[in-house]
Amino acid sequence: MTTSIPDQNCKLVADSLTDALANQWRNSKTPDNTAFASSSLTVFAGADFAKRNLARQRDALQRCPTRSETDGKRQWDNVHEVTIPELKGFDEVVAEEGHLGTDEKGQTTDTYYVSLTGTKGQYLLHSDISRGPDTQDQNRTDAAKALSLMLSRLASGGIQ
């Protein structure tokens, strides 16, 4: 089980999910391909491991306001941490947003994203959404709703 995280040069690399017991990832998009979303749930051996993973994410977020894939084609800028006040019930949350300026083909794009990751005990829940310009308010709302729904399902006995 791996995740992508920026290395010391802010290039995204695959990194092992140390002490993870299970990980489930789901991608989706709107029928008209104007919004793309993903969500994941990772179960760690204990709450300390989930917190450590979240701390690594926050550290990378603070170090790398620009990022790229190792091949240099896909590039993000204006990556920064934000506060999402409507999220409740989590032990801790990291909220990130930014701009994708170059896509996987090296073509210029104008896509904005919000990525939310929260811990609840040994569970790490993640939600992100991306769309075109002038969509960050809607991205924040949708990502927060998704993460809150995941937490409520976890609290009621399982992710459905």
Side-chain angles (χ1 to χ4, degrees):
M1 291 179 282
T2 62
T3 188
S4 292
I5 192 159
D7 65 11
Q8 293 305 315
N9 299 316
C10 297
K11 303 275 188 199
L12 289 179
V13 294
D15 192 45
S16 174
L17 286 170
T18 305
D19 296 306
L21 302 174
N23 177 267
Q24 180 68 42
W25 191 275
R26 178 180 178 193
N27 294 316
S28 60
K29 62 183 178 177
T30 57
D32 61 359
N33 291 328
T34 58
F36 299 87
S38 65
S39 59
S40 68
L41 167 70
T42 305
V43 181
F44 287 91
D48 288 344
F49 298 113
K51 288 179 187 179
R52 189 174 308 138
N53 188 283
L54 195 66
R56 289 177 56 217
Q57 182 180 343
R58 178 171 278 132
D59 173 65
L61 177 57
Q62 293 169 351
R63 281 187 303 101
C64 298
T66 59
R67 300 176 180 177
S68 64
E69 289 185 335
T70 52
D71 66 7
K73 288 185 178 178
R74 193 180 312 205
Q75 297 184 3
W76 293 264
D77 56 70
N78 195 26
V79 176
H80 58 280
E81 189 168 2
V82 293
T83 301
I84 307 288
E86 63 269 15
L87 286 172
K88 296 187 179 9
F90 291 91
D91 298 332
E92 187 177 359
V93 174
V94 171
E96 168 186 329
E97 62 183 35
H99 174 255
L100 177 66
T102 308
D103 68 15
E104 67 279 354
K105 297 176 185 172
Q107 303 294 315
T108 299
T109 186
D110 195 19
T111 303
Y112 294 81
Y113 76 91
V114 171
S115 177
L116 305 178
T117 307
T119 59
K120 184 67 174 175
Q122 74 188 85
Y123 301 98
L124 188 133
L125 296 94
H126 173 83
S127 170
D128 69 55
I129 188 155
S130 59
R131 291 185 176 96
D134 302 318
T135 59
Q136 282 302 63
D137 287 339
Q138 188 64 48
N139 288 347
R140 286 182 203 119
T141 299
D142 290 349
K145 283 181 182 178
L147 203 65
S148 293
L149 177 61
M150 291 168 59
L151 182 61
S152 72
R153 288 179 175 171
L154 182 65
S156 69
I159 300 292
Q160 299 176 353

